[in-house]
Amino acid sequence: MIIYRDTAIGFRDNVDGNMIVDVLRESFRDKLGIDPSRELSAWSNSLRAMESVVRKSEISDDCGILIEYKIPLTSRRIDFVVSGESETNDRNFVIIELKQWQEAFETARDGIVETFLGGGIVETTHPSYQAQSYRMLIQEYNENISIKDIKLYSCAYLHNYGENDPEPLKSSSYSTILRDTPLYLKHDAEKLQNFLKLHVGQGRGMD
């Protein structure tokens, strides 16, 4: 199930026209039969940040944008997906896990960090690990990925998070995850733009 699907230019127009949250709210109601609650603030903040990235990346207007994609046979929803072709005509998807975090702490547990959620500091999954796990689930459950030779890439974007020195989320204990699924922080927007342009920049993503 997909709450929102449009071209890159359609997504940009929805955000520029301050319509994106309303469009998502209506689709959410139609498809799930309930009103979104905590999602509204996340959509309002994170999708404006993503609109800037999509626009400045100069990816083709006919790249595909999926928002709140529910992975089949699970209850998990992916925040943001961009589809398109690379310069070598590979058919690709980029999965982007979006967070509004401003602070996080390393833990001794594999793929686990601490951050402020729900009024206190709690343990939760490292954003890159979360994005990676979503990619692996899709590869396992969606046979079109192998049949149509579609390649999947994943990353995380924490658009409110200023990098520290040293940065807990980039600790060596998370290095394996980060090599597979890059982490982009507040001042890494240009790196994320380049990541999108490399993998999906040539468009034809709505197919």
Side-chain angles (χ1 to χ4, degrees):
M1 181 188 66
I2 301 167
I3 298 299
Y4 177 94
R5 176 175 59 188
D6 207 339
T7 60
I9 192 171
F11 167 70
R12 298 199 313 266
D13 287 345
N14 282 162
V15 175
D16 287 343
N18 294 315
M19 297 184 296
I20 188 66
V21 172
D22 292 334
V23 171
L24 283 163
R25 181 192 288 117
E26 182 176 351
S27 180
F28 196 94
R29 288 171 179 162
D30 289 344
K31 296 184 178 182
L32 296 180
I34 56 175
D35 284 320
S37 54
R38 61 181 178 81
E39 290 90 355
L40 295 177
S41 175
W43 290 340
S44 180
N45 294 314
S46 296
L47 296 182
R48 189 160 293 280
M50 277 308 304
E51 186 280 332
S52 177
V53 168
V54 169
R55 174 169 41 84
K56 292 180 180 178
S57 69
E58 299 181 347
I59 61 174
S60 177
D61 287 345
D62 64 346
C63 284
I65 302 291
L66 309 179
I67 299 173
E68 297 286 353
Y69 167 60
K70 184 176 179 294
I71 302 173
L73 306 178
T74 77
S75 61
R76 301 181 184 183
R77 298 201 308 265
I78 299 174
D79 292 331
F80 203 92
V81 179
V82 187
S83 60
E85 295 184 5
S86 69
E87 291 184 355
T88 54
N89 300 121
D90 292 321
R91 296 157 56 86
N92 298 334
F93 280 89
V94 175
I95 293 167
I96 306 173
E97 176 63 24
L98 300 172
K99 299 290 187 189
Q100 299 183 73
W101 298 0
Q102 297 184 17
E103 189 175 24
F105 308 94
E106 180 184 4
T107 75
R109 297 180 61 194
D110 184 35
I112 300 296
V113 299
E114 291 183 336
T115 192
F116 189 85
L117 292 172
I121 299 294
V122 299
E123 288 190 342
T124 188
T125 306
H126 189 291
S128 291
Y129 185 90
Q130 188 174 353
Q132 180 194 59
S133 69
Y134 289 166
R135 190 191 77 222
M136 295 173 71
L137 279 170
I138 293 176
Q139 288 171 328
E140 180 176 352
Y141 287 123
N142 193 323
E143 64 179 7
N144 284 321
I145 298 301
S146 58
I147 292 174
K148 298 183 179 181
D149 194 27
I150 297 171
K151 295 180 173 62
L152 298 179
Y153 298 88
S154 50
C155 65
Y157 184 34
L158 281 60
H159 52 87
N160 292 331
Y161 193 112
E163 185 162 354
N164 299 285
D165 186 17
E167 174 49 55
L169 291 176
K170 294 184 177 180
S171 166
S172 59
S173 63
Y174 307 123
S175 59
T176 300
I177 299 170
L178 294 173
R179 280 195 297 271
D180 175 87
T181 301
L183 174 71
Y184 300 111
L185 303 179
K186 182 177 182 179
H187 299 297
D188 293 329
E190 185 174 353
K191 294 178 181 178
L192 177 53
Q193 292 160 25
N194 292 335
F195 189 77
L196 291 180
K197 191 167 186 178
L198 173 67
H199 293 303
V200 297
Q202 300 307 302
R204 297 180 290 278
M206 293 304 289
D207 290 345

